Amino acid sequence: MSSGSVDIGYVPNEEQIIALLGQIQDWQINHGSLLKDVNSQTEHSSIYNELYMAIARDEEWLHDVTKELISTQPLANALWAIYRQSKAAGVVQEISAAIYRSDYMLHMNAKSSSPNDLSEATLKQVEFNTFSCAGASHAKRVADMHRYMTRTGAYNLESATEQHSDALSLPSNDNIESLASLLASAHAAYGAPKNKTAKRTAVLYIVQPHNFNIADERPIEYALWNRDPPVPTYRLNWGDDTLQHTSLTDTHELLFHPPGLAARDPLEVSVIYMRAGYEGHEYDHVGWQTRLRLEMSSAIKCPSILSHISTFKKVQQALTAPGELERFLSPEKAAVIRETFVMHYPLDQSAEGQLAREIVREGDCSNYILKPSLEGGGNNIYDRIPEFLRSIPAATWESYILMQRIQPPNSRNILMSPGGVEEGPVVSELGIFGACLWKQTGQKSEILHNSCAGWTFKSKHADIEEMSVVKGYGCFDTPMLK
């Protein structure tokens, strides 16, 4: 399955569309921008990185914010229990790594004089992702494709403007190399093997079995192997494979025994890069033991389990309360971040929670979205919020947040997806990757690396509520900078 977006500012005829689609499909087939079917803004980035690194170091605040989820969300319960068990065992890895992605949309004020006057638009955060942040490789491939198609003149059709034929207006995207560099830095920070049975260290990917998104994961792995000197990088499926092919030493080094190469010396794992373990159903007995073994090791985690917990929407909501940002940031930096917030409400017994409940009771929730603390897209509740809440136990309401709905401007585009090729109004979402590495020794913390690491840009038809390329709700795209 392939996905892409052609933003050319006008509607070409059928013959031109067919020619373009053939070129796009050829590019994607040759450059790996596919989902494998196993069954057939820089300142904001650095400040958000700093914010979430600080949150991951503040166990007390993080637990206070997410404690309501422990009894209602299996994932939250599993993560906190595993964290406490590893902490009780005295396992401390002073260095942590993280790959973040902050997602934004342009927001049009209801009082705007023109519904599509971008001079009146403001950038608002949709959500902040701290675990298994996907889309980097796909975004780069699509950006490269659009630049190629523009340079060859494929988009410079008879009625296109010169601006649309200028490849320089299409930004390049270095996110694959940026994310690989972060993992390589963490690998170097770990240092030489600590266990005498291991001669080398390696980065270990933990991925979901029957993985369909290898075209997003593998390029980062290949980039690590292609470095000089190469960074050895291997993959293991979450669950039985991880338990079978790793072992934990008495001094907490994690040893990797490559499948089929058991006679060789094991590799000591320097960095664990998590691309699995983000859904509650993954934490059956085997999944629980898998995550516990990883957390009980001295390998650098990307991310740490506290960073993982900070991805819950309750954290995003808590940060919008007055004074909360200043707990972690200077007033000046907090002000920059606060400009990207829309209103968030809890559904608890607090004054803000009672206000949210009153909004729900009044029945008109067209300007709000109900969000659970679940990952993977497709979980949000839109116009039927009151009906949905009446259908679930009142005790579980506190695990949801009520978020003001962002009102993005529309543009016209042609989207190519597994559902076909359609032209019409679309809205877009910008994701900014952050790469972070920090060291915590007692009460002293040191940021070793903090950078913007590229971007994703996704477009969907304006009448579709969710934004998830993997689930077919949108396409990877490229912004045209004017």
Side-chain angles (χ1 to χ4, degrees):
M1 297 182 289
S2 63
S3 60
S5 173
V6 183
D7 188 358
I8 54 181
Y10 72 103
V11 181
N13 61 43
E14 184 176 358
E15 183 179 354
Q16 292 168 330
I17 290 177
I18 292 173
L20 282 174
L21 295 182
Q23 291 190 61
I24 289 171
Q25 289 171 335
D26 285 352
W27 170 275
Q28 293 190 339
I29 289 171
N30 279 278
H31 293 82
S33 183
L34 302 171
L35 297 178
K36 180 180 177 183
D37 187 349
V38 297
N39 297 317
S40 68
Q41 20 207 237
T42 305
E43 181 186 21
H44 284 163
S45 175
S46 62
I47 298 176
Y48 264 115
N49 292 350
E50 181 181 340
L51 170 63
Y52 275 81
M53 282 189 281
I55 289 172
R57 299 192 297 267
D58 196 332
E59 176 188 344
E60 180 181 356
W61 184 88
L62 191 56
H63 181 265
D64 186 59
V65 166
T66 62
K67 62 185 177 183
E68 298 163 349
L69 301 177
I70 295 174
S71 61
T72 59
Q73 295 285 359
L75 179 59
N77 177 64
L79 294 180
W80 275 113
I82 291 169
Y83 171 75
R84 290 196 186 95
Q85 192 169 345
S86 60
K87 183 180 179 181
V91 180
V92 177
Q93 170 50 266
E94 294 181 342
I95 300 175
S96 297
I99 292 171
Y100 298 141
R101 196 189 72 234
S102 187
D103 294 334
Y104 304 90
M105 280 183 165
L106 287 176
H107 176 65
M108 303 300 296
N109 190 294
K111 298 180 180 179
S112 172
S113 58
S114 172
N116 287 307
D117 182 1
L118 297 187
S119 67
E120 300 185 33
T122 55
L123 196 66
K124 297 298 182 182
Q125 187 185 61
V126 178
E127 63 183 0
F128 195 89
N129 306 274
T130 72
F131 190 86
S132 189
C133 298
S137 300
H138 293 308
K140 174 173 173 53
R141 298 299 184 224
V142 170
D144 289 348
M145 180 197 74
H146 281 141
R147 288 165 65 85
Y148 163 78
M149 299 286 281
T150 300
R151 283 174 171 148
T152 62
Y155 295 157
N156 188 19
L157 302 176
E158 198 169 341
S159 33
T161 66
E162 274 199 34
Q163 181 181 9
H164 285 167
S165 67
D166 184 2
L168 295 178
S169 66
L170 298 174
S172 60
N173 202 352
D174 65 350
N175 47 20
I176 293 176
E177 184 55 40
S178 295
L179 298 183
S181 292
L182 181 276
L183 295 173
S185 295
H187 173 76
Y190 183 88
K194 281 71 173 171
N195 190 273
K196 62 183 180 180
T197 65
K199 302 294 190 297
R200 295 187 300 156
T201 56
V203 173
L204 186 63
Y205 265 65
I206 303 297
V207 302
Q208 290 183 321
H210 310 296
N211 195 294
F212 62 87
N213 205 13
I214 58 171
D216 190 54
E217 297 173 359
R218 287 283 193 180
I220 303 171
E221 176 187 348
Y222 299 153
L224 286 165
W225 277 107
N226 285 335
R227 295 178 72 86
D228 189 16
V231 177
T233 306
Y234 299 89
R235 295 160 63 91
L236 275 180
N237 288 336
W238 169 272
D240 287 324
D241 282 1
T242 299
L243 295 179
Q244 179 181 352
H245 296 292
T246 66
S247 60
L248 202 59
T249 71
D250 292 339
T251 48
H252 298 286
E253 292 87 19
L254 184 66
L255 301 182
F256 169 55
H257 310 272
L261 302 175
R264 294 190 181 179
D265 294 331
L267 300 168
E268 186 171 324
V269 177
S270 58
V271 181
I272 300 169
Y273 179 31
M274 299 292 297
R275 294 296 295 255
Y278 52 82
E279 295 183 293
H281 69 80
E282 293 178 280
Y283 288 86
D284 56 11
H285 175 72
V286 172
W288 188 294
Q289 293 303 315
T290 297
R291 188 65 183 269
L292 181 61
R293 177 176 296 180
L294 300 176
E295 294 301 323
M296 290 283 283
S297 77
S298 57
I300 295 173
K301 319 310 188 295
C302 185
S304 70
I305 203 163
L306 291 183
S307 276
H308 186 177
I309 292 169
S310 72
T311 204
F312 289 139
K313 306 300 186 292
K314 289 289 291 183
V315 172
Q316 185 183 10
Q317 174 262 310
L319 291 172
T320 65
E324 290 298 326
L325 283 177
E326 286 75 10
R327 180 185 180 100
F328 306 105
L329 299 171
S330 69
E332 294 77 18
K333 291 180 178 179
V336 172
I337 291 299
R338 193 170 281 113
E339 287 293 319
T340 68
F341 288 172
V342 295
M343 293 299 298
H344 290 71
Y345 301 95
L347 284 170
D348 55 21
Q349 301 301 322
S350 66
E352 294 80 7
Q354 293 303 318
L355 178 58
R357 289 169 183 248
E358 183 61 29
I359 293 172
V360 171
R361 278 193 292 269
E362 290 179 357
D364 183 10
C365 296
S366 58
N367 289 325
Y368 297 92
I369 299 172
L370 188 69
K371 289 191 170 186
S373 285
L374 297 174
E375 297 302 313
N379 300 305
N380 297 334
I381 308 298
Y382 291 83
D383 296 328
R384 57 187 183 89
I385 294 172
E387 295 85 350
F388 173 79
L389 287 174
R390 285 194 294 268
S391 72
I392 63 175
T396 64
W397 285 25
E398 295 187 1
S399 63
Y400 290 82
I401 66 167
L402 193 67
M403 175 181 171
Q404 177 188 351
R405 192 165 185 166
I406 298 172
Q407 304 293 341
N410 290 348
S411 60
R412 296 194 72 82
N413 209 334
I414 300 173
L415 302 185
M416 184 178 76
S417 71
V421 179
E422 296 181 82
E423 184 273 339
V426 303
V427 297
S428 299
E429 179 180 290
L430 172 69
I432 300 295
F433 282 100
C436 307
L437 189 67
W438 69 95
K439 184 175 183 178
Q440 182 77 23
T441 307
Q443 298 301 311
K444 182 181 178 181
S445 60
E446 178 185 3
I447 296 177
L448 305 176
H449 182 93
N450 176 6
S451 70
C452 175
W455 49 270
T456 65
F457 195 73
K458 295 176 284 188
S459 294
K460 65 177 181 178
H461 292 292
D463 59 349
I464 295 177
E465 293 174 331
E466 295 285 356
M467 180 71 84
S468 173
V469 175
V470 169
K471 294 189 176 181
Y473 301 131
C475 296
F476 285 103
D477 201 349
T478 306
M480 177 164 283
L481 305 180
K482 296 183 178 181

